[in-house]
Amino acid sequence: LRLALKERGLRMTPQRQLILDVVVTMHGHISVDQVHQQVTRQFPDVHITTVYRTLEVLEELGIVRHTHIHDGVAQYQRTDEALHQHMVCTVCQANTELEVEILKPLAEELRLRYGFKADLAHTAIVGVCRDCQSIRAAGALGHTAGQNG
Amino acid sequence: LRLALKERGLRMTPQRQLILDVVVTMHGHISVDQVHQQVTRQFPDVHITTVYRTLEVLEELGIVRHTHIHDGVAQYQRTDEALHQHMVCTVCQANTELEVEILKPLAEELRLRYGFKADLAHTAIVGVCRDCQSIRAAGALGHTAGQNG
DNA sequence: CTCGATGCAAAATGTTTGCACGCAG
DNA sequence: CTGCGTGCAAACATTTTGCATCGAG
């Protein structure tokens, strides 16, 4: 891993080591700010700009990849973790992992019909989780679009 | 439609009429800025703040919905257009429409296995389109991860 | 020593908010 | 006339950039 840096004339600094530590232990999506917070827990001096720049480097190296979920905040994930996908509930923000197997038929279909190589793990699937559906159902029984006020 | 506004004690202003005009004629995803530009083509005085606020109102009324695609910019789409989905190419930014039928098996699968009511039309599918795959293939034949530089 | 990396501040970008005035109803 | 809607500016949040200094190799 550090060799990858070396090959491109890049240096391994303590800051990068710390950020790398966070990256290899993280699961799923994580924001720049979250990475920064974890890093500053050990070295409060590490600037968030450095986190931005390091994650950018890691992205060029193919170690991480970033995306944007529901709000405008960039979320990073490891590329070797890209094979699992998340479902984010728009009501309770619950984040459930799902097996990527489920996505394969769709990916295959898109390839066949449009020649499009879909990166389905790139963005989380949004929707409403089981629990929040129950809660909602209790408040708004029926399935016609009536005006509630 | 204006009745929906009336019912909630909201007023129909020239600005809202203009923004509504843009909304009903738009297809797929459109940014706040794009709406604003189209509006100011007729009335240069309409402020972008008004566009933000009006789209927020329209979202509460269930007429539009917003999401975030690849960058952090909010994209709006009509809810009655939500039944088609887009594929955005990360290389050439091409935006291809696809039939929502393709997504239904996945949605059904997610419902069965996780009880999750997925809103698959909420976010565009990202990936690489047919053309850009060809171009890439020409530059990087083979499928091993070699270092190119 | 050399040159990439860092910290800081400031700029850039997209979005939200406070306030006084204007206009729809 | 009432109070919602508007334009404006300023606040806000996130991300990028310029620059002097530091330190990895």
Side-chain angles (χ1 to χ4, degrees), chain B residues 25-104:
Chain B
T25 56
M26 77 191 188
H27 290 283
H29 299 97
I30 189 170
S31 69
V32 175
D33 198 58
Q34 285 174 311
V35 173
H36 180 233
Q37 278 179 35
Q38 286 201 39
V39 168
T40 48
R41 218 162 276 160
Q42 303 181 56
F43 277 66
D45 287 339
V46 177
H47 204 268
I48 195 167
T49 304
T50 303
V51 179
Y52 274 104
R53 286 194 272 224
T54 300
L55 287 173
E56 199 181 328
V57 168
L58 294 180
E59 188 159 27
E60 280 171 35
L61 292 177
I63 294 165
V64 298
R65 145 195 303 164
H66 90 279
T67 179
H68 296 264
I69 320 260
H70 49 295
D71 49 4
V73 186
Q75 299 282 109
Y76 280 83
Q77 64 178 328
R78 288 215 309 279
T79 48
D80 62 342
E81 279 245 333
L83 291 176
H84 70 242
Q85 170 64 287
H86 293 260
M87 299 181 295
V88 177
C89 175
T90 53
V91 179
C92 68
Q93 312 298 323
N95 191 324
T96 314
E97 239 177 74
L98 65 84
E99 295 169 48
V100 73
E101 303 301 322
I102 297 177
L103 301 174
K104 285 186 176 170

XYZ file of all heavy atoms in Angstrom, chain B residues 25-104:
649
model
N -42.989 21.626 -17.521
C -42.435 21.329 -18.845
C -41.100 20.603 -18.767
O -40.570 20.169 -19.774
C -42.236 22.616 -19.668
O -41.403 23.504 -18.929
C -43.556 23.282 -19.945
N -40.569 20.469 -17.577
C -39.239 19.854 -17.457
C -39.339 18.335 -17.524
O -40.365 17.737 -17.211
C -38.570 20.268 -16.144
C -39.086 19.537 -14.912
S -38.492 20.292 -13.391
C -39.048 19.102 -12.173
N -38.258 17.731 -17.954
C -38.176 16.275 -17.977
C -36.949 15.830 -17.205
O -35.874 16.389 -17.378
C -38.109 15.761 -19.414
C -39.386 15.943 -20.151
N -40.474 15.135 -19.970
C -39.757 16.875 -21.057
C -41.463 15.536 -20.746
N -41.058 16.607 -21.419
N -37.110 14.843 -16.372
C -35.967 14.304 -15.639
C -35.485 15.264 -14.573
O -36.257 16.020 -14.005
N -34.216 15.230 -14.324
C -33.641 16.000 -13.233
C -33.240 17.383 -13.693
O -32.694 17.567 -14.769
C -32.423 15.278 -12.657
C -32.747 13.939 -12.088
N -32.585 12.763 -12.789
C -33.249 13.578 -10.887
C -32.969 11.745 -12.046
N -33.373 12.197 -10.884
N -33.476 18.361 -12.824
C -33.103 19.738 -13.140
C -32.639 20.401 -11.846
O -33.193 20.148 -10.778
C -34.305 20.481 -13.772
C -33.881 21.845 -14.308
C -35.444 20.622 -12.767
C -34.967 22.492 -15.150
N -31.614 21.217 -11.958
C -31.072 21.857 -10.761
C -31.800 23.158 -10.476
O -32.478 23.717 -11.343
C -29.579 22.136 -10.940
O -29.401 23.140 -11.904
N -31.659 23.628 -9.251
C -32.259 24.896 -8.859
C -31.776 26.006 -9.781
O -32.557 26.840 -10.234
C -31.893 25.233 -7.399
C -32.405 26.615 -7.022
C -32.478 24.189 -6.459
N -30.508 25.969 -10.075
C -29.927 26.998 -10.922
C -30.530 26.974 -12.322
O -30.800 28.020 -12.904
C -28.411 26.788 -11.003
C -27.710 28.034 -11.491
O -27.872 29.083 -10.846
O -27.028 27.965 -12.526
N -30.759 25.779 -12.851
C -31.347 25.677 -14.182
C -32.771 26.219 -14.194
O -33.165 26.908 -15.132
C -31.341 24.218 -14.642
C -29.971 23.729 -15.065
C -29.974 22.242 -15.371
O -30.462 21.440 -14.584
N -29.421 21.873 -16.501
N -33.524 25.913 -13.160
C -34.878 26.461 -13.051
C -34.805 27.980 -13.024
O -35.527 28.669 -13.744
C -35.581 25.949 -11.779
C -36.921 26.649 -11.585
C -35.787 24.443 -11.857
N -33.887 28.477 -12.205
C -33.746 29.917 -12.064
C -33.396 30.577 -13.398
O -33.951 31.611 -13.760
C -32.663 30.226 -11.030
C -32.440 31.690 -10.806
N -31.199 32.276 -10.892
C -33.315 32.680 -10.517
C -31.325 33.568 -10.666
N -32.587 33.839 -10.418
N -32.491 29.949 -14.129
C -32.086 30.511 -15.420
C -33.255 30.571 -16.392
O -33.431 31.559 -17.107
C -30.946 29.682 -16.013
C -29.588 30.064 -15.446
C -28.481 29.205 -16.029
O -28.526 28.830 -17.188
N -27.484 28.890 -15.216
N -34.045 29.513 -16.405
C -35.193 29.511 -17.304
C -36.210 30.575 -16.913
O -36.826 31.197 -17.768
C -35.851 28.129 -17.302
C -35.042 27.090 -18.051
C -35.912 25.918 -18.464
O -37.057 26.076 -18.867
N -35.361 24.719 -18.353
N -36.369 30.763 -15.626
C -37.325 31.758 -15.150
C -36.853 33.165 -15.487
O -37.615 33.994 -15.989
C -37.549 31.618 -13.632
C -38.309 32.811 -13.080
C -38.302 30.332 -13.330
N -35.590 33.431 -15.222
C -35.068 34.782 -15.437
C -35.005 35.145 -16.915
O -34.822 36.312 -17.252
C -33.667 34.937 -14.827
O -32.862 33.853 -15.220
C -33.751 34.993 -13.316
N -35.154 34.145 -17.785
C -35.204 34.436 -19.204
C -36.429 35.295 -19.504
O -36.440 36.101 -20.422
C -35.267 33.115 -19.986
C -34.456 33.134 -21.252
C -34.200 31.723 -21.747
N -33.039 31.100 -21.093
C -32.815 29.794 -21.037
N -33.672 28.970 -21.583
N -31.743 29.328 -20.446
N -37.469 35.117 -18.690
C -38.680 35.904 -18.885
C -38.779 37.050 -17.885
O -39.174 38.144 -18.238
C -39.903 35.001 -18.757
C -39.872 33.841 -19.745
C -41.100 32.979 -19.623
O -42.211 33.462 -19.730
N -40.899 31.692 -19.403
N -38.409 36.774 -16.654
C -38.449 37.817 -15.633
C -37.109 37.853 -14.897
O -36.918 37.126 -13.931
C -39.580 37.554 -14.633
C -40.915 38.033 -15.102
C -41.520 37.444 -16.205
C -41.556 39.090 -14.469
C -42.753 37.893 -16.654
C -42.793 39.530 -14.915
C -43.389 38.937 -16.001
N -36.220 38.707 -15.341
C -34.858 38.745 -14.789
C -34.828 39.096 -13.313
O -33.812 38.883 -12.646
C -34.176 39.851 -15.616
C -35.008 39.970 -16.842
C -36.402 39.671 -16.413
N -35.925 39.607 -12.793
C -35.903 40.060 -11.415
C -36.133 38.942 -10.397
O -35.896 39.131 -9.210
C -36.967 41.153 -11.196
C -36.551 42.465 -11.848
O -35.331 42.637 -12.084
O -37.423 43.290 -12.126
N -36.594 37.802 -10.864
C -36.879 36.719 -9.924
C -35.576 36.233 -9.285
O -34.636 35.861 -9.970
C -37.595 35.549 -10.623
C -37.815 34.406 -9.646
C -38.921 36.023 -11.210
N -35.572 36.276 -7.968
C -34.355 35.941 -7.233
C -34.241 34.433 -7.037
O -35.238 33.727 -6.935
C -34.382 36.632 -5.869
C -33.012 36.840 -5.308
N -32.416 35.929 -4.479
C -32.126 37.841 -5.493
C -31.216 36.375 -4.149
N -31.015 37.532 -4.745
N -33.004 33.940 -6.990
C -32.810 32.499 -6.858
C -33.303 31.997 -5.501
O -33.719 30.842 -5.363
C -31.328 32.116 -7.068
C -31.225 30.601 -7.305
C -30.465 32.577 -5.908
C -29.898 30.153 -7.826
N -33.300 32.871 -4.523
C -33.856 32.500 -3.220
C -35.321 32.101 -3.355
O -35.772 31.138 -2.740
C -33.751 33.677 -2.243
O -32.396 34.086 -2.171
C -34.233 33.284 -0.867
N -36.034 32.843 -4.187
C -37.439 32.535 -4.412
C -37.595 31.162 -5.059
O -38.513 30.410 -4.727
C -38.076 33.611 -5.314
O -37.906 34.882 -4.693
C -39.538 33.348 -5.526
N -36.683 30.837 -5.964
C -36.736 29.524 -6.604
C -36.529 28.431 -5.570
O -37.264 27.443 -5.527
C -35.682 29.423 -7.729
C -35.724 28.044 -8.372
C -35.913 30.495 -8.767
N -35.524 28.617 -4.712
C -35.295 27.656 -3.636
C -36.562 27.470 -2.808
O -36.993 26.355 -2.533
C -34.166 28.140 -2.721
C -32.777 27.762 -3.181
C -31.941 28.692 -3.773
C -32.307 26.468 -3.000
C -30.662 28.346 -4.185
C -31.030 26.115 -3.407
C -30.202 27.065 -3.999
O -28.947 26.718 -4.407
N -37.141 28.592 -2.400
C -38.286 28.512 -1.494
C -39.509 27.936 -2.185
O -40.271 27.168 -1.585
C -38.577 29.896 -0.909
C -37.528 30.272 0.127
C -37.948 31.454 0.970
N -37.558 32.721 0.364
C -37.008 33.737 1.037
N -36.778 33.640 2.326
N -36.688 34.848 0.434
N -39.692 28.292 -3.451
C -40.854 27.781 -4.169
C -40.736 26.272 -4.399
O -41.694 25.529 -4.221
C -41.013 28.503 -5.515
O -41.179 29.890 -5.268
C -42.208 27.967 -6.271
N -39.531 25.837 -4.760
C -39.346 24.401 -4.970
C -39.548 23.641 -3.659
O -40.041 22.514 -3.651
C -37.957 24.126 -5.545
C -37.785 24.526 -7.011
C -36.330 24.387 -7.450
C -38.685 23.700 -7.912
N -39.186 24.287 -2.571
C -39.416 23.671 -1.266
C -40.914 23.504 -1.016
O -41.368 22.469 -0.529
C -38.782 24.549 -0.189
C -38.550 23.832 1.136
C -37.944 24.772 2.168
O -37.173 25.685 1.773
O -38.255 24.609 3.357
N -41.663 24.548 -1.362
C -43.115 24.477 -1.215
C -43.688 23.384 -2.109
O -44.508 22.574 -1.677
C -43.750 25.841 -1.563
C -45.255 25.708 -1.696
C -43.399 26.862 -0.502
N -43.229 23.349 -3.344
C -43.734 22.346 -4.278
C -43.404 20.939 -3.806
O -44.135 19.991 -4.063
C -43.145 22.582 -5.677
C -43.582 23.870 -6.374
C -42.932 23.974 -7.748
C -45.087 23.938 -6.491
N -42.294 20.819 -3.100
C -41.939 19.514 -2.578
C -42.891 19.109 -1.453
O -43.318 17.964 -1.372
C -40.494 19.531 -2.054
C -39.982 18.148 -1.672
C -38.467 18.097 -1.644
O -37.830 19.147 -1.408
O -37.913 17.012 -1.872
N -43.233 20.076 -0.617
C -44.188 19.803 0.455
C -45.548 19.426 -0.119
O -46.269 18.616 0.460
C -44.340 21.029 1.355
C -43.207 21.170 2.365
C -43.291 22.502 3.085
O -44.408 22.978 3.329
O -42.224 23.088 3.389
N -45.888 20.024 -1.254
C -47.162 19.719 -1.897
C -47.110 18.384 -2.627
O -48.115 17.913 -3.143
C -47.524 20.830 -2.883
C -47.872 22.177 -2.255
C -48.145 23.200 -3.350
C -49.077 22.059 -1.337
N -45.919 17.809 -2.706
C -45.795 16.511 -3.357
C -45.691 16.588 -4.867
O -45.810 15.584 -5.555
N -45.443 17.799 -5.386
C -45.377 17.964 -6.837
C -43.989 17.640 -7.362
O -43.832 17.082 -8.430
C -45.779 19.406 -7.215
C -47.255 19.605 -6.863
C -45.518 19.674 -8.689
C -47.679 21.043 -6.849
N -42.988 18.021 -6.599
C -41.616 17.673 -6.982
C -40.938 16.972 -5.813
O -41.464 16.889 -4.704
C -40.778 18.908 -7.384
C -41.365 19.603 -8.584
C -40.622 19.858 -6.209
N -39.751 16.503 -6.099
C -38.946 15.819 -5.099
C -37.514 16.146 -5.464
O -37.184 16.339 -6.624
C -39.239 14.329 -5.226
C -38.097 13.417 -4.962
C -38.427 12.026 -5.471
N -39.651 11.522 -4.844
C -40.341 10.490 -5.296
N -39.950 9.867 -6.367
N -41.420 10.093 -4.671
N -36.661 16.220 -4.466
C -35.284 16.536 -4.802
C -34.340 15.429 -4.342
O -34.674 14.619 -3.493
C -34.865 17.886 -4.201
C -34.289 17.772 -2.829
N -35.064 17.659 -1.692
C -33.002 17.725 -2.401
C -34.288 17.574 -0.640
N -33.033 17.607 -1.023
N -33.179 15.441 -4.964
C -32.186 14.424 -4.681
C -30.814 14.988 -5.016
O -30.685 16.107 -5.483
C -32.464 13.157 -5.500
O -31.468 12.204 -5.212
C -32.440 13.455 -6.970
N -29.803 14.210 -4.718
C -28.436 14.629 -5.047
C -27.787 13.522 -5.854
O -27.774 12.384 -5.424
C -27.627 14.886 -3.775
C -28.159 16.010 -2.957
N -27.672 17.294 -3.045
C -29.174 16.060 -2.072
C -28.343 18.071 -2.218
N -29.266 17.348 -1.607
N -27.265 13.866 -6.988
C -26.702 12.850 -7.865
C -25.223 12.693 -7.596
O -24.839 12.319 -6.503
C -26.956 13.211 -9.333
C -28.351 13.783 -9.485
C -26.751 12.000 -10.199
C -29.375 12.864 -9.990
N -24.409 13.040 -8.531
C -22.975 12.768 -8.411
C -22.250 13.858 -7.648
O -21.457 13.586 -6.778
C -22.360 12.546 -9.792
C -22.742 13.607 -10.779
N -24.044 13.783 -11.205
C -22.013 14.549 -11.397
C -24.069 14.787 -12.061
N -22.879 15.273 -12.191
N -22.526 15.103 -7.949
C -21.914 16.177 -7.167
C -22.915 16.646 -6.110
O -23.992 16.092 -5.989
C -21.468 17.338 -8.079
C -22.578 17.737 -9.022
O -23.677 17.185 -8.919
O -22.334 18.599 -9.874
N -22.578 17.661 -5.380
C -23.414 18.043 -4.263
C -24.617 18.895 -4.620
O -25.298 19.400 -3.743
N -24.903 19.056 -5.903
C -25.960 19.955 -6.322
C -27.316 19.257 -6.287
O -27.473 18.161 -6.810
C -25.680 20.474 -7.744
C -26.706 21.518 -8.128
C -24.280 21.056 -7.818
N -28.280 19.914 -5.678
C -29.617 19.340 -5.582
C -30.265 19.277 -6.955
O -30.173 20.216 -7.747
C -30.474 20.176 -4.637
N -30.930 18.175 -7.232
C -31.625 18.006 -8.500
C -33.098 17.742 -8.210
O -33.431 16.901 -7.390
C -31.051 16.810 -9.260
C -29.595 16.932 -9.603
C -29.343 17.833 -10.785
O -28.824 18.928 -10.619
N -29.715 17.416 -11.964
N -33.951 18.452 -8.885
C -35.389 18.280 -8.687
C -36.003 17.514 -9.849
O -35.549 17.604 -10.981
C -36.072 19.645 -8.556
C -35.937 20.240 -7.180
C -34.802 20.939 -6.816
C -36.945 20.077 -6.244
C -34.664 21.472 -5.550
C -36.820 20.612 -4.975
C -35.680 21.317 -4.636
O -35.553 21.843 -3.375
N -37.034 16.756 -9.530
C -37.804 16.096 -10.575
C -39.262 16.048 -10.142
O -39.563 16.061 -8.962
C -37.270 14.686 -10.830
C -37.414 13.761 -9.633
C -36.914 12.371 -9.942
O -36.998 11.895 -11.053
N -36.383 11.704 -8.923
N -40.145 16.020 -11.128
C -41.565 15.913 -10.801
C -41.846 14.534 -10.240
O -41.265 13.543 -10.667
C -42.419 16.131 -12.055
C -42.437 17.550 -12.533
C -43.798 17.919 -13.129
N -44.260 16.972 -14.117
C -43.854 16.960 -15.385
N -42.966 17.840 -15.789
N -44.332 16.078 -16.217
N -42.750 14.474 -9.296
C -43.062 13.170 -8.710
C -43.784 12.278 -9.712
O -43.643 11.060 -9.665
C -43.938 13.336 -7.457
O -45.021 14.215 -7.748
C -43.129 13.898 -6.315
N -44.545 12.877 -10.611
C -45.243 12.047 -11.599
C -44.302 11.635 -12.730
O -44.675 10.912 -13.633
C -46.468 12.768 -12.168
C -46.079 14.045 -12.896
O -44.969 14.530 -12.664
O -46.888 14.543 -13.691
N -43.062 12.110 -12.649
C -42.039 11.681 -13.605
C -41.079 10.713 -12.942
O -40.165 10.215 -13.558
C -41.236 12.893 -14.098
C -41.913 13.672 -15.188
C -41.120 13.604 -16.479
O -39.902 13.434 -16.418
O -41.732 13.715 -17.551
N -41.315 10.478 -11.659
C -40.364 9.663 -10.905
C -40.314 8.235 -11.420
O -39.401 7.493 -11.107
C -40.743 9.652 -9.438
N -41.305 7.877 -12.236
C -41.337 6.506 -12.708
C -40.373 6.226 -13.836
O -40.371 5.150 -14.390
C -42.766 6.136 -13.131
C -43.725 6.032 -11.944
C -45.127 5.756 -12.431
C -43.259 4.912 -11.020
N -39.579 7.201 -14.205
C -38.476 6.810 -15.053
C -37.183 7.194 -14.373
O -37.130 8.084 -13.539
C -38.571 7.376 -16.473
C -38.362 8.837 -16.564
N -39.318 9.697 -17.022
C -37.300 9.607 -16.261
C -38.843 10.916 -16.999
N -37.633 10.910 -16.534
N -36.169 6.514 -14.720
C -34.902 6.596 -14.032
C -33.831 6.998 -15.050
O -34.015 6.849 -16.250
C -34.635 5.200 -13.436
C -33.284 4.953 -12.869
C -33.005 5.814 -11.688
O -32.793 7.010 -11.832
N -32.943 5.215 -10.518
N -32.742 7.545 -14.540
C -31.674 7.959 -15.431
C -30.386 7.216 -15.125
O -30.120 6.861 -13.985
C -31.415 9.464 -15.291
C -32.546 10.295 -15.787
N -32.553 10.886 -17.007
C -33.729 10.607 -15.229
C -33.681 11.534 -17.185
N -34.423 11.387 -16.111
N -29.616 7.030 -16.169
C -28.264 6.507 -16.001
C -27.302 7.626 -16.381
O -27.375 8.162 -17.486
C -28.034 5.319 -16.936
C -28.988 4.159 -16.669
S -28.688 2.772 -17.769
C -29.114 3.476 -19.355
N -26.441 7.977 -15.455
C -25.492 9.040 -15.721
C -24.104 8.440 -15.888
O -23.629 7.702 -15.024
C -25.465 10.064 -14.563
C -24.408 11.126 -14.821
C -26.831 10.703 -14.392
N -23.478 8.772 -17.008
C -22.130 8.267 -17.262
C -21.122 9.135 -16.520
O -21.128 10.360 -16.645
C -21.825 8.280 -18.755
S -20.127 7.793 -19.134
N -20.250 8.485 -15.763
C -19.282 9.241 -14.976
C -18.149 9.789 -15.840
O -17.380 10.618 -15.391
C -18.677 8.361 -13.869
O -18.160 7.170 -14.451
C -19.706 8.000 -12.825
N -18.056 9.309 -17.061
C -16.981 9.780 -17.939
C -17.448 10.961 -18.789
O -16.876 12.040 -18.745
C -16.476 8.641 -18.845
C -15.368 9.142 -19.764
C -15.970 7.479 -17.998
N -18.521 10.752 -19.543
C -18.949 11.802 -20.485
C -20.187 12.542 -20.004
O -20.694 13.409 -20.695
C -19.203 11.207 -21.874
S -20.645 10.116 -21.939
N -20.696 12.187 -18.819
C -21.860 12.866 -18.236
C -23.134 12.621 -19.015
O -24.143 13.295 -18.779
C -21.635 14.387 -18.142
C -20.305 14.787 -17.538
C -20.155 14.320 -16.102
O -21.105 14.320 -15.344
N -18.967 13.878 -15.723
N -23.102 11.696 -19.972
C -24.305 11.403 -20.740
C -25.424 10.951 -19.801
O -25.180 10.264 -18.818
C -24.020 10.318 -21.774
N -26.630 11.343 -20.145
C -27.769 11.084 -19.282
C -28.815 10.304 -20.079
O -29.540 10.873 -20.879
C -28.328 12.431 -18.798
C -29.328 12.245 -17.685
O -30.087 11.283 -17.684
N -29.335 13.155 -16.747
N -28.880 9.021 -19.852
C -29.791 8.173 -20.610
C -30.989 7.782 -19.756
O -30.829 7.418 -18.600
C -29.077 6.885 -21.065
O -27.810 7.232 -21.612
C -29.901 6.143 -22.094
N -32.160 7.867 -20.370
C -33.344 7.430 -19.667
C -33.457 5.915 -19.745
O -33.012 5.310 -20.720
C -34.574 8.048 -20.337
C -35.388 8.905 -19.409
C -36.540 9.551 -20.135
O -37.507 8.860 -20.443
O -36.450 10.774 -20.399
N -34.043 5.302 -18.742
C -34.288 3.870 -18.847
C -35.689 3.551 -18.359
O -36.294 4.317 -17.605
C -33.227 3.070 -18.093
C -33.121 3.204 -16.582
C -34.096 2.306 -15.861
C -31.705 2.816 -16.166
N -36.178 2.426 -18.785
C -37.536 2.043 -18.406
C -37.547 1.523 -16.985
O -36.711 0.730 -16.581
C -38.047 0.972 -19.358
C -38.187 1.476 -20.780
C -38.430 0.316 -21.727
O -39.295 -0.518 -21.418
O -37.745 0.259 -22.751
N -38.517 1.997 -16.240
C -38.567 1.682 -14.828
C -38.899 0.209 -14.587
O -38.648 -0.337 -13.520
C -39.580 2.598 -14.120
C -40.989 2.186 -14.484
C -39.378 2.580 -12.640
N -39.430 -0.440 -15.605
C -39.766 -1.864 -15.492
C -38.565 -2.663 -15.003
O -38.693 -3.594 -14.215
C -40.200 -2.402 -16.861
C -41.378 -1.655 -17.473
C -42.599 -1.709 -16.580
O -42.827 -2.766 -15.978
O -43.295 -0.678 -16.466
N -37.416 -2.261 -15.484
C -36.192 -2.988 -15.159
C -35.913 -2.980 -13.660
O -35.324 -3.902 -13.111
C -35.004 -2.348 -15.917
C -35.232 -2.487 -17.420
C -33.700 -2.989 -15.510
C -34.178 -1.827 -18.253
N -36.372 -1.928 -13.006
C -36.065 -1.780 -11.585
C -37.013 -2.565 -10.690
O -36.715 -2.812 -9.526
C -36.126 -0.295 -11.204
C -35.177 0.608 -11.970
C -35.453 2.060 -11.609
C -33.734 0.259 -11.668
N -38.153 -2.927 -11.234
C -39.173 -3.524 -10.388
C -38.770 -4.825 -9.704
O -39.086 -5.023 -8.529
C -40.471 -3.696 -11.188
C -41.174 -2.360 -11.374
C -42.541 -2.497 -12.046
C -43.209 -1.125 -12.105
N -44.415 -1.133 -12.952
